[in-house]
């Protein structure tokens, strides 16, 4: 059995190692176009920023180690330029010798990855505008940073790499502009949940330009001048293009392999392409996301590793199936963590799927234990209670809660299960009622109709269209400290029972507090006393996040 | 509807608040024997140790706030001394006035909690020997600590409170002995998994005495002299008794309520006791643990809160059921975290249940990102692959992994699901293959018979009883640095293919490496080459943990 693997990072390296564990007798050849295999591509921004001082730490596996441990014939700096499926051969070009040669295979595993997307904008192809995919790209950026003249940078794109690079360049004392065409960074979360990331970026001195694109690049001796879509100009010394990635499918399509709707290489659950004995894995393929089973490109390392193992098992006559991906993701943005799993509201709306949502602001651990900080949490669920997705941000404990929800989604659990989740509790780690439990409680209250919710994005509309009163149940000192929603009346929750007579029964009472909990308690009192009432989901905190976005958009519209 | 609740901490306070949310019209009376309700009992050791400097931070809810917010008639310093179920009345004794009075109820919810267990040992009842259950106990300990003469302390019992108090008193610069009758502290985990806790305690200067009890206490003007079961004496100024708790059932049994096999108040899944309209919740009740459905006492805050809410729902005519508890627990011991969920090996063995186990030592996050540290992880699963329990320790990320497994157990997931778990990954948070994934891989390898395992506790027996060779596949520098298992032969993994001729085919090869991963790879090579082989589960690391325990026991046996 002769197995040829194209691409030596994540999926390809995993496939090679798994194939060897399954078969000592197989001949395994791994082609890698670059100089390294299995390097820590997720670590590149952290070496640039200085968190990982030692470049060698990024080289997880060397061709030599891969050979010694797994008896893999690793051929770096060698690009496969052609595949002939019917003859079961590939053509390989060795960059070092300039020679091309043929290699036969019994099974072929493609792991070509995805390349940074470079749009066709005038002047974009210039020496100061760079992408970051591999060690060579990283080294090129580092060389530029070592020049004393590199003081200002523009990062284009607010995805994982864009955010990590904005942080890395700030750590390197550059003045950084982050330019994002969408109204938010971190596309996997919804716009209001990205707002804490926007705030963090601005607090850290990043010049964040949302709803902004680049019309042209002018490279000159002093750097690059960007002409932005708002007509303004930006002079920088370095541009990092991090708009996203596109699956590398040219080799596959030239060989006649089918691609899917999203442009990725089409595979079935066994990682088989449209051609017999040819498998494909990783960022280049189209896979089914988990919750809906729709085709998607999910260029993440975890799925790539799993797919690599599955392809190896099947290539060697086994039977393994990939279940799909649920798109679990996390990003560190300075001291903030933002993470998500499952479906977001944008996707649910686009697909016309019925859903409900709740917001929770709760401590990462017992409030009385030092270091407690708030987690900003959003849970999406079906009208029947099935958990569809979650998003969260905060300083600590965010990844843990999203991992818990990732398991809930994988298992098809409901919000009733989240109520009952029995998570670790001691004061340094959590609370007897965890954020996840609170999300379950709040969701069940919605499903049980214990409370009606109003969302911040609809508040103005609801207040205009219904005969209603906006009731703030926070304490007076909170109003002074944080501000209020215009037009609201204040009755603190603890005085509500005594002051009910102040509220007319013929109007709908829209209640809000700081984060939604006291608003819920107020609604319980009001509804039992015969009032029609709703609670503002996520309270004043979420209204402010949503409102600041709206103000921004209106300002931009006026400016446009 | 008149609801009377006995006990104002955790379960009782939760029941009161939930009852009010459900009914504005109910009359709700909460009796609490102590001076405070809903105080942070889990925070007491941290105030003693100084982590929580402000005593008031522990008072989560005051009687006044409970009244203002929830309209609850809170009666502190009032003990219910009698229940008459047929007449639906309770007798209450107000400590402040010395007066007793009757109060009727429609529904009664008992949340009396559990009291520290005080065994009948000669001299145990002395002024320097204290337990820690409430604020008054804490204040008493703090007063003693404020005396300049308090320099040495003995903590008796290595459970949560014992461990937390050993740390707290060490922080207060006391010389601390921790005395535990069992061969391990932290009973929820298995003995080999408790070993890192033992090491941490000793490194932090705690005089840890395992397999040791106290025969008598002699109180004198200079403190207390303990006579230990090994015949030695220990002179201390303060003794903290933290042997465990016993459900407070006297009020319930006097009233004729049934108790279960474990001594806790018997309830059904609706939290109903044997008497109509009387419910019981919290540490005083016997509940079903989750995985087997066997009766158990699980005195933890999370379950108590959930039970309180369920009792309130049912008391007010609703229909809610408690699902049982899976005993998820976590403890901070200096800088170490130790946590567990589900069943441990001791319980599985006692119940004669078939199970399998794997050990994983893997980084909490990407090894190349600063601050990476190992998690010591044990997974227990059924021969069919169902996840039964997990235990872990380490400096960071332990609670997250146990929470993930807690969800897996709640959902009835299998080790095949753990392989596929899609958890958050970025270098600061995890690895593309998380500890949980690795545990799944290792477990599936066992189920698939990709590898046979030998356990450290059986190694000597296996080596004696079979014609076998012990093969160390680590690199020579590791052997020098860490030591070896006596009688082993060394062939580094990366040389194994070349040196196979050195291994006789008629013997069984028992392979080990540092933590088990390379041992597994070696077994894959060996078994495919026709060798009979097994991998030492958890490798040299787990052997050393297990071996140090055995040496300790043998030494103790000789001393005895």
């Amino acid at each position: 059995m002769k197995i040829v693997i194209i691409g030596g990072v994540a999926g390809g390296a995993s496939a090679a190692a798994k194939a060897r564990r399954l078969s000592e007798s197989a001949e395994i050849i791994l082609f890698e176009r670059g100089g390294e295999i299995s390097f820590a591509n997720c670590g590149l921004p952290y070496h640039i920023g200085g968190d990982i001082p030692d470049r060698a730490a990024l080289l997880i596996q060397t061709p030599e180690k891969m050979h010694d441990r797994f008896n893999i014939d690793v051929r770096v700096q060698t690009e496969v330029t052609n595949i002939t499926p019917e003859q079961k051969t590939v053509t390989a070009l060795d960059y070092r010798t300039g020679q091309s040669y043929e290699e036969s295979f019994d099974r072929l595993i493609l792991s070509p990855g995805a390349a940074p997307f470079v749009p066709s904008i005038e002047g974009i192809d210039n020496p100061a505008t760079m992408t970051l995919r591999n060690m060579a790209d990283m080294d090129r950026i580092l060389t530029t940073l070592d020049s004393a003249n590199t003081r200002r940078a523009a990062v284009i794109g607010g995805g994982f790499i864009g955010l990590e690079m904005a942080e890395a360049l700030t750590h390197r004392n550059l003045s950084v502009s982050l330019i994002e065409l969408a109204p938010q960074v971190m596309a996997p979360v919804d716009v209001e949940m990205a707002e804490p990331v926007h705030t963090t970026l601005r607090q850290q001195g990043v010049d964040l330009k949302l709803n902004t694109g680049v019309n042209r690049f002018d490279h000159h001796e002093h750097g690059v001048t960007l002409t932005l879509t708002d007509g303004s100009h930006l002079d920088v010394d370095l541009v990092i293009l991090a708009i996203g990635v596109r699956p590398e499918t040219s080799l596959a399509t030239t060989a006649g392999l089918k691609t899917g709707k999203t442009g990725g290489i089409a595979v079935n659950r066994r990682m088989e392409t449209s051609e017999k004995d040819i498998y494909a894995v990783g960022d280049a393929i189209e896979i089914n996301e988990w919750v809906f089973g729709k085709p998607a490109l999910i260029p993440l390392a975890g799925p790539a590793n799993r797919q690599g193992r599955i392809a190896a098992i099947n290539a060697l006559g086994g039977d393994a199936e990939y279940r799909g991906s649920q798109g679990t993701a996390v990003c560190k943005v300075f001291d903030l963590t933002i993470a998500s799993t499952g479906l977001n509201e944008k996707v649910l709306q686009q697909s016309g799927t019925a859903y409900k949502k709740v917001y929770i602001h709760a401590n990462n651990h017992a409030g009385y234990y030092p270091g407690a900080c708030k987690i900003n949490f959003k849970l999406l669920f079906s009208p029947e209670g099935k958990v569809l997705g979650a998003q969260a941000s905060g300083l600590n404990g965010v990844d843990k809660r999203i991992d818990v929800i990732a398991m809930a989604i994988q298992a098809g659990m409901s919000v009733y299960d989240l109520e009952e989740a029995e998570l670790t509790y001691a004061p340094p780690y959590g609370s007897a009622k965890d954020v996840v439990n609170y999300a379950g409680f709040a969701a069940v209250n919605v499903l049980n109709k214990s409370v009606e919710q109003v969302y911040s994005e609809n508040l103005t509309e609801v207040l205009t269209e219904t005969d209603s009163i906006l009731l703030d149940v926070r304490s007076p000192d909170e109003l002074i400290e944080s501000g209020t929603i215009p037009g609201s009346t204040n009755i603190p929750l603890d005085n509500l029972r005594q002051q009910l007579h102040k509220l007319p029964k013929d109007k709908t009472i829209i209640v809000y507090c700081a984060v939604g909990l006291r608003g819920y308690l107020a609604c319980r009192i009001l509804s039992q006393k015969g009032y029609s009432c709703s609670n503002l989901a996520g309270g004043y905190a979420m209204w402010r996040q949503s409102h600041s976005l709206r103000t921004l958009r209106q300002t931009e519209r006026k400016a446009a």
Side-chain angles (χ1 to χ4, degrees), chain A:
Chain A
M1 171 68 70
K2 183 172 172 183
I3 299 175
V4 169
I5 299 169
I6 302 176
V9 187
S14 290
K18 181 70 184 177
R20 178 57 72 219
R21 290 198 295 276
L22 291 170
S23 169
E24 268 301 301
S25 59
E27 181 183 356
I28 305 173
I29 302 172
L30 178 66
F31 288 108
E32 166 57 44
R33 187 164 55 174
E36 290 94 9
I37 57 161
S38 200
F39 66 92
N41 44 2
C42 303
L44 303 179
Y46 298 102
H47 180 55
I48 294 172
D51 286 327
I52 303 172
D54 181 15
R55 182 184 185 279
L58 299 174
L59 298 169
I60 300 172
Q61 189 66 281
T62 63
E64 295 70 34
K65 284 199 282 182
M66 195 81 182
H67 175 264
D68 291 347
R69 178 145 304 172
F70 294 103
N71 191 22
I72 309 284
D73 180 356
V74 180
R75 303 184 189 173
V76 293
Q77 294 190 36
T78 305
E79 179 170 4
V80 173
T81 54
N82 192 46
I83 304 167
T84 316
E86 11 349 311
Q87 291 167 22
K88 289 197 168 182
T89 57
V90 299
T91 309
L93 167 63
D94 188 332
Y95 292 153
R96 292 160 299 189
T97 63
Q99 300 293 309
S100 273
Y101 58 91
E102 289 216 333
E103 196 68 64
S104 68
F105 63 82
D106 296 312
R107 304 283 185 276
L108 178 67
I109 300 175
L110 296 176
S111 178
F117 176 57
V118 180
S120 58
I121 298 173
E122 192 178 340
I124 198 167
D125 185 15
N126 70 69
T129 297
M130 303 179 188
T131 57
L132 177 63
R133 184 192 191 188
N134 53 34
M135 302 281 285
D137 296 337
M138 178 185 78
D139 293 339
R140 203 172 304 124
I141 292 169
L142 283 171
T143 304
T144 307
L145 290 177
D146 287 341
S147 152
N149 299 324
T150 307
R151 293 187 197 129
R152 298 154 307 166
V155 175
I156 304 178
F160 300 108
I161 294 174
L163 291 168
E164 288 166 358
M165 281 306 298
E167 178 178 351
L169 296 174
T170 302
H171 287 330
R172 296 286 303 242
N173 293 320
L174 268 72
S175 162
V176 178
S177 296
L178 179 58
I179 299 167
E180 168 59 56
L181 199 57
Q184 65 165 102
V185 300
M186 187 77 187
V189 306
D190 292 312
V191 63
E192 80 282 15
M193 295 302 287
E195 193 55 18
V197 184
H198 301 162
T199 305
T200 296
L201 288 167
R202 291 184 174 120
Q203 281 170 348
Q204 297 285 345
V206 173
D207 168 37
L208 177 63
K209 295 176 182 293
L210 297 172
N211 300 296
T212 305
V214 182
N215 279 343
R216 58 179 291 158
F217 294 76
D218 288 290
H219 186 248
H220 45 75
E221 56 180 326
H222 302 300
V224 189
T225 300
L226 311 187
T227 304
L228 305 181
T229 48
D230 63 5
S232 68
H233 298 285
L234 188 66
D235 291 314
V236 297
D237 306 306
L238 169 67
V239 179
I240 304 292
L241 268 185
I243 300 173
V245 294
R246 292 291 177 273
E248 289 226 355
T249 55
S250 54
L251 181 66
T253 52
T254 306
L257 273 59
K258 286 187 182 149
T259 53
K261 288 176 190 170
T262 61
I265 301 171
V267 292
N268 62 16
R269 289 161 71 98
R270 289 172 48 86
M271 299 291 120
E272 293 165 340
T273 66
S274 56
E275 290 289 337
K276 190 170 182 314
D277 295 332
I278 303 183
Y279 301 80
V281 304
D283 296 1
I285 67 165
E286 173 177 291
I287 55 177
N288 282 327
E289 61 73 17
W290 184 278
V291 187
F292 279 152
K294 287 193 179 171
L297 296 168
I298 300 192
L300 294 171
N305 278 299
R306 281 201 291 288
Q307 294 155 15
R309 287 192 300 279
I310 288 166
I313 291 168
N314 293 326
L316 281 156
D319 187 17
E321 292 203 342
Y322 185 62
R323 299 183 182 184
S325 171
Q326 60 192 73
T328 308
V330 65
C331 192
K332 175 181 170 302
V333 184
F334 295 93
D335 54 358
L336 191 79
T337 299
I338 176 116
S340 67
T341 187
L343 300 175
N344 62 37
E345 198 171 350
K346 291 178 287 193
V347 171
L348 289 163
Q349 285 182 345
Q350 280 160 19
S351 63
T353 309
Y355 66 91
K356 293 182 179 289
K357 63 176 175 177
V358 291
Y359 296 95
I360 298 294
H361 288 68
N363 282 324
N364 66 325
H365 62 55
Y368 56 79
Y369 189 84
C373 55
K374 292 284 176 205
I375 293 179
N376 197 341
F377 189 92
K378 176 181 186 176
L379 182 72
L380 293 152
F381 51 101
S382 77
E384 296 75 39
K386 187 176 180 182
V387 179
L388 298 176
Q391 304 162 32
S393 68
L395 299 181
N396 276 308
V398 170
D399 51 325
K400 176 162 86 169
R401 272 63 183 208
I402 292 298
D403 281 355
V404 164
I405 301 294
M407 295 303 284
I409 291 175
Q410 188 187 351
M413 292 168 100
S414 73
V415 296
Y416 302 99
D417 296 316
L418 300 188
E419 282 194 303
E420 301 288 327
E422 193 180 311
L423 305 176
T424 50
Y425 164 57
Y429 304 99
S431 298
K433 288 177 258 189
D434 190 82
V435 180
V436 168
N437 299 129
Y438 272 117
F441 299 150
V444 170
N445 286 336
V446 170
L447 294 180
N448 283 349
K449 302 200 185 300
S450 295
V451 67
E452 293 288 327
Q453 288 194 127
V454 170
Y455 300 124
S456 286
E457 61 266 31
N458 308 327
L459 181 63
T460 310
E461 193 185 326
V462 171
L463 288 171
T464 313
E465 293 181 1
T466 60
D467 192 9
S468 53
I469 284 178
L470 185 59
L471 177 66
D472 185 333
V473 296
R474 294 175 298 163
S475 62
D477 53 331
E478 290 175 89
L479 274 62
I480 294 163
E481 199 178 306
S482 317
T484 63
I485 303 179
S488 58
T489 303
N490 178 229
I491 303 178
L493 171 61
D494 293 350
N495 303 341
L496 184 60
R497 288 184 184 88
Q498 289 74 44
Q499 301 190 15
L500 274 183
H501 59 273
K502 293 186 179 171
L503 296 172
K505 283 222 174 177
D506 57 344
K507 297 198 176 193
T508 297
I509 318 290
I510 315 273
V511 184
Y512 76 93
C513 64
V515 299
L517 182 59
R518 280 173 291 171
Y520 163 64
L521 297 176
C523 282
R524 292 301 304 152
I525 296 172
L526 290 168
S527 61
Q528 292 188 57
K529 293 294 180 185
Y531 288 88
S532 159
C533 60
S534 298
N535 185 29
L536 184 67
Y540 184 66
M542 199 48 65
W543 179 83
R544 214 156 58 162
Q545 285 181 209
S546 161
H547 191 70
S548 74
L549 288 167
R550 194 164 314 138
T551 312
L552 195 70
R553 276 185 225 157
Q554 283 163 352
T555 315
E556 279 153 4
R557 219 170 290 148
K558 278 176 204 158

